[in-house]
Amino acid sequence: MSQTLGRSSAAGSDAEPLAAATPLWAGLAAVYRAQLSRVRVSRVPLLFVAVFQSVGIMILMRGVVDTGSDSAREAVVAGSSVLVVAFVALNLLAQHFGALRAANALDYYLTLPVRPAAVVLGIAAAYASFTLPGAVVTAVIGALMFQLPLANLWALLLVVPLSGAALAGVGAVCGLLSPRQELATLLGQLGMSAALLLGIIPADRMPMVVEWGRDVLPSSYGVDAFIATYGTPDWAAFGADLAVCAAVGVAMLSLATWAFRRTARG
Amino acid sequence: MAIVGATAAAAPDAAASRVSARTCYRVAGLTKTYRTGRRRARVEVRANDAIDLDVRRGEIFGLLGPNGAGKSTLVRQLTGLLRPDAGTVELLGHDLVKRPDAAARLVAYLGQDSGALDELTVGLAVETTARLRALDPAAARAARDAVIEELGLGELAERPLKKLSGGQRRLACVAAALVGDRPVLVLDEPTTGMDPVARRAVWSAIDRRRAEHGTTVVLVTHNVIEAETVLDRVAVLDEGRVIACDTPGGLKALVGDEVRLDLVWRTDPPQDDPAVARLACEAVRTGRRWTTRMDPGTARELLAAVTSGPAFDTLDDFTLSTPSLEDVYLALGGRHEGLVKG
């Protein structure tokens, strides 16, 4: 056993030594691994439902949008791919944290010597990871349906984790701060609906007010980053959009960690 | 004089230190109030009301009471999950009100909900818990294998918790609580839903830890039979207060030598039978079950009269038993039913 023993500074001289606290990375890795294993049990909701939904929307949109317009086709495919991320990382994660909180199941983590950041980041990272296969499958099917190139598909390896961090952060905050489980579910659904509506409609066709809504939604930057890889790639825009995702991810995950600590204080 | 003075001053310190060395939890004046309802309908519920308790190191200490007595609120304060409104909680020399995080480094807690682990396999749930108690990967795997074998969970190790029966799932959660040896175990109804084999495995695992490491166990239960069998001392809670605290034997002595007579009737017994008429006046009726408490001589006399007279034809079952902790609870003024007898 590698446990080292420390002493509480506030404790009396005859106080029992405290067992070691779990280092951040070890805790994060353990939580991530455990969460990732849930795919074995919850494969259908975590992976397939999101793909079916996005592919269904692409089939629907094929009959609606002007397939002669590059921007329209790119917006539909990129929006549908990022929708997979929004469905799992935002919607399902908000529901998961809401359910854990409602059932006092967070007590499990709160009574272990693991840092709140390790728990929040581990769970959020796992949910973001769940979305990668679905996002890739959706992007490939979309590219074949809408005659888009597959050359820069690798960009999803950056788009999914970074937009996943941003959306998982939002989902975790919704789940942890909602006073009731139903509200967490509702917020997750609303967030996903916003990502659906504002993500797959080409930005240049939106009224100004809706465009502002699109600008405050973190998933839009993931969509824009992926759109920037089509045609003649605009890597500067790609980088800038992903930087926004990363910044939102850091902010929201920090807020989620604070919310988790707040839960710990009852 | 100076020497005498110094000795006199040192003696209480030494005594306090000895007491502290024997004490696991020292709880004083612990009070917690919840607000429930909305706006005008808002009411304050005092879940814990000035609770004082000392739990000694190495003992199995029980918190007994019906649902809503304040057991779980007390336990959440003992594990640093809830900050009290007033009072102090000292755990092995650490002030948990000032430093609630110290609890996670001394206590293994088994709550009532397994939601955080439900979708993991039993093996991974136990291993993850060991990793989150700061064991390195190899030590965590070894500790997982040991506790799974100890509790006879080998065949279930690769199955997800949510696919197990209630008792099996509870056993897996006990395994997660036991892994990574902690000096204090706080277990909230650990054996709920378990079959007798699993219960025995749990109690022998706990006994082994107590014998080998001096582990202290705080056990929440509303099962009086279990409480009488395994506990060294028990605090009886009612409406947020500790109404008694002693060994199970000591508590039972409080109700004197009264015995309990239970009669279960097949149909209505003949009311003109004098023994039945007397029992009818004194009995607490639950469906067709009559329960009375009385001195042993009277109980024997009435039972003999019922079993030898015409009332016997309508009698389905009877038991004459010595007092249980439930009788103690009721005799002490406990206002709720709801303790489980099986």
Side-chain angles (χ1 to χ4, degrees), chain A residues 177-234:
Chain A
L177 287 183
S178 298
R180 285 163 57 194
Q181 187 181 354
E182 299 81 9
L183 194 59
T185 305
L186 184 70
L187 289 174
Q189 300 274 12
L190 284 175
M192 193 200 64
S193 302
L196 164 66
L197 294 172
L198 302 178
I200 60 171
I201 299 170
D204 52 14
R205 296 189 187 183
M206 288 178 182
M208 186 63 82
V209 178
V210 181
E211 212 170 312
W212 290 340
R214 190 180 189 279
D215 288 346
V216 297
L217 198 68
S219 64
S220 308
Y221 297 91
V223 174
D224 288 347
F226 195 37
I227 288 174
T229 67
Y230 286 125
T232 308
D234 181 351

Side-chain angles (χ1 to χ4, degrees), chain A residues 68-163:
Chain A
S69 156
D70 282 351
S71 68
R73 288 184 291 132
E74 289 165 6
V76 170
V77 176
S80 299
S81 302
V82 174
L83 179 63
V84 176
V85 184
F87 179 76
V88 177
L90 198 163
N91 182 25
L92 292 187
L93 185 59
Q95 290 184 33
H96 183 62
F97 269 123
L100 287 180
R101 191 164 169 240
N104 279 338
L106 289 175
D107 288 0
Y108 168 76
Y109 295 110
L110 295 171
T111 52
L112 291 167
V114 58
R115 293 168 67 170
V119 178
V120 171
L121 291 175
I123 296 178
Y127 270 75
S129 304
F130 294 150
T131 68
L132 187 60
V136 171
V137 169
T138 306
V140 169
I141 294 174
L144 296 175
M145 279 172 64
F146 288 87
Q147 295 89 46
L148 290 171
L150 286 166
N152 290 328
L153 204 62
W154 60 265
L156 280 177
L157 291 176
L158 290 172
V159 171
V160 170
L162 291 172
S163 57

